[in-house]
Amino acid sequence: MARRISVIGTAGCGKTTLAKELSRKLNIPHVELDAFNWGPNWTPQPNAVFLEQGEALLGRAAAG
């Protein structure tokens, strides 16, 4: 059974800190979507790249 938790909120409210702690305590992977959405120097990634990386991640989650 896949376990997923989405943490949402405004910038600087502690989303990443909370998500990392939940990941550690629940022994589930932590995925930071900003890593897919932004390239070097906070330049936006093309939608195709974001979708490709997300689909690859979902494929790994379904397999494992």
Side-chain angles (χ1 to χ4, degrees), residues 33-40 42-55:
L33 290 182
D34 275 346
F36 298 144
N37 195 48
W38 299 103
W42 292 99
T43 55
Q45 292 278 49
N47 286 341
V49 172
F50 178 84
L51 292 173
E52 180 182 306
Q53 291 176 334
E55 287 172 357

Side-chain angles (χ1 to χ4, degrees), residues 26-41:
L26 298 174
N27 194 32
I28 57 177
H30 171 247
V31 176
E32 188 70 46
L33 290 182
D34 275 346
F36 298 144
N37 195 48
W38 299 103
N41 299 315

Side-chain angles (χ1 to χ4, degrees), residues 5-8 13-24 30:
I5 299 171
S6 296
V7 178
I8 59 172
C13 71
K15 297 178 300 290
T16 299
T17 301
L18 174 62
K20 286 180 180 179
E21 186 66 12
L22 286 170
S23 172
R24 186 184 67 76
H30 171 247

